[in-house]
Amino acid sequence: MSAKPNPNTSSLREAMKLAQRKAAVEPGLSADRSVPLEAIRLSPFQARRFFDPAALEELAQSLRLHGMVQPLLVRPAEGGFELVHGERRLRAARLAGLAEVPVVVRELSDQQAAEINLVENLQREDLNPVEETRGVLRLLGLRLGLAESEVVPLLGTLREAERGKVSHNAVGENESSIIFEVFSSLGRISLASFVSHRLPLLGLPPEILEVLEQGRLEYTKATAVARVKNPDARARLLREALEQGLTLVQIKERARQLAAAPAAGPKADLAARLALAGRRLRKVTLSPQKQREVDALLERLLAALEED
């Protein structure tokens, strides 16, 4: 199904051009001025969630020696400025102890600011697969005027229409045009690949999603580990994959062995789930109310075990 241009929607390419012009001087706007670091607040539209601490410290050391050469892109906000692009440099500047940083100030709407941030990050290929997937969904949501949760089923329906399994009328022409334009403009992943390989990443178990977001495991290996249904066995395989640097072939073989192993029975399964709960409990800080709730659950569990 072909995509028709949508004259009523601002082109994604326009956002890309705006991002490329971010350092240009325009009448009435400030460029390359220095502002206090504390006057800049983070953007709510940041696509990146994980920033490698070692890489940040390396950049911070460079900033201590040479200062910040490339200015940050910001927009006016109440009490100061809001970052549009350059969070990695901003975080490194804080680590470096800089008092001021150079900025380019632009008057931008929420949608313009979000699209610039997302497009810059997606085009530079410096996002991990999970961040990239969420970034594409956020960009599509902005362009379609929908919540991200509404975008996912729309993409699935459009993919089914491409495969001839549902009518092309199942998705409106306007929505189809916008979706195809976004994937065409990004030019790095097709709708089919995104639906088949990227969207499933968001449904991975939390412990696998965490290491994937941190860049400690490739997404093909992560999805292979996730196929192990038993939580305790899956956690073991994940640990082995990380500590031993297992290849994808080795991970798949281990997963097959675990799947072929005889079931441990309900009692062993319960013990594995309790062990997993214990590991998660060690990683979180409970509020007083949550602590009371957990205590009550444990008392009920112990009482049930004594009765048995």
Side-chain angles (χ1 to χ4, degrees), residues 275-291:
L276 177 61
R279 288 195 297 273
R280 290 184 179 176
L281 187 60
R282 287 193 293 270
K283 295 181 180 180
V284 299
T285 301
L286 300 179
S287 66
Q289 179 180 352
K290 185 64 70 175
Q291 179 70 55

Side-chain angles (χ1 to χ4, degrees), residues 211-222:
V211 298
L212 186 57
E213 286 185 293
Q214 293 173 352
R216 297 166 58 198
L217 194 67
E218 295 91 338
Y219 84 91
T220 51
K221 295 181 179 181

Side-chain angles (χ1 to χ4, degrees), residues 128-142:
N128 64 55
V130 178
E131 291 172 334
E132 184 179 68
T133 301
R134 287 175 173 149
V136 171
L137 287 177
R138 196 173 303 125
L139 183 56
L140 286 166
L142 285 167

Side-chain angles (χ1 to χ4, degrees), residues 103-256:
V103 298
V104 173
V105 184
R106 291 290 180 269
E107 293 284 351
L108 300 168
S109 66
D110 284 354
Q111 180 162 335
Q112 286 175 320
E115 289 201 1
I116 288 173
N117 181 283
L118 291 168
V119 170
E120 282 275 339
N121 279 294
L122 291 169
Q123 290 289 351
R124 288 173 57 186
E125 303 185 23
D126 61 352
L127 301 178
N128 64 55
V130 178
E131 291 172 334
E132 184 179 68
T133 301
R134 287 175 173 149
V136 171
L137 287 177
R138 196 173 303 125
L139 183 56
L140 286 166
L142 285 167
R143 301 293 308 284
L144 292 164
L146 298 174
E148 291 173 40
S149 59
E150 297 175 294
V151 174
V152 173
L154 187 63
L155 294 179
T157 302
L158 185 56
R159 175 59 184 147
E160 292 297 282
E162 274 194 319
R163 299 169 67 186
K165 293 192 173 183
V166 299
S167 168
H168 285 183
N169 296 328
V171 179
E173 185 176 343
N174 184 59
E175 288 82 2
S176 299
S177 176
I178 292 172
I179 291 170
F180 282 119
E181 181 187 4
V182 167
F183 282 104
S184 174
S185 297
L186 293 175
R188 298 193 19 242
I189 187 168
S190 66
L191 170 65
S193 180
F194 188 79
V195 170
S196 299
H197 303 297
R198 292 304 181 87
L199 285 181
L201 295 180
L202 302 182
L204 292 175
E207 67 276 12
I208 297 180
L209 200 59
E210 180 181 358
V211 298
L212 186 57
E213 286 185 293
Q214 293 173 352
R216 297 166 58 198
L217 194 67
E218 295 91 338
Y219 84 91
T220 51
K221 295 181 179 181
T223 53
V225 173
R227 293 192 183 100
V228 178
K229 301 304 180 185
N230 181 279
D232 197 48
R234 186 174 63 234
R236 237 182 5 255
L237 179 55
L238 178 61
R239 185 169 59 254
E240 291 173 2
L242 294 172
E243 294 176 354
Q244 301 175 26
L246 299 181
T247 66
L248 179 60
V249 172
Q250 290 173 322
I251 291 174
K252 288 182 175 180
E253 178 59 30
R254 288 284 293 117
R256 278 194 292 270

Side-chain angles (χ1 to χ4, degrees), residues 34-94:
S34 292
V35 301
L37 199 60
E38 60 187 19
I40 304 175
R41 71 187 190 199
L42 295 179
S43 167
F45 308 116
Q46 173 58 261
R48 294 185 67 179
R49 297 190 179 189
F50 177 73
F51 294 85
D52 182 75
L56 279 180
E57 182 53 46
E58 183 178 344
L59 179 56
Q61 180 60 25
S62 175
L63 293 180
R64 292 185 191 103
L65 294 174
H66 308 293
M68 186 178 292
V69 178
Q70 183 181 357
L72 305 174
L73 177 62
V74 300
R75 62 174 180 161
E78 185 177 354
F81 304 93
E82 180 183 281
L83 184 70
V84 175
H85 184 66
E87 183 168 340
R88 181 171 172 269
R89 281 171 288 135
L90 178 65
R91 288 175 178 265
R94 288 175 175 170

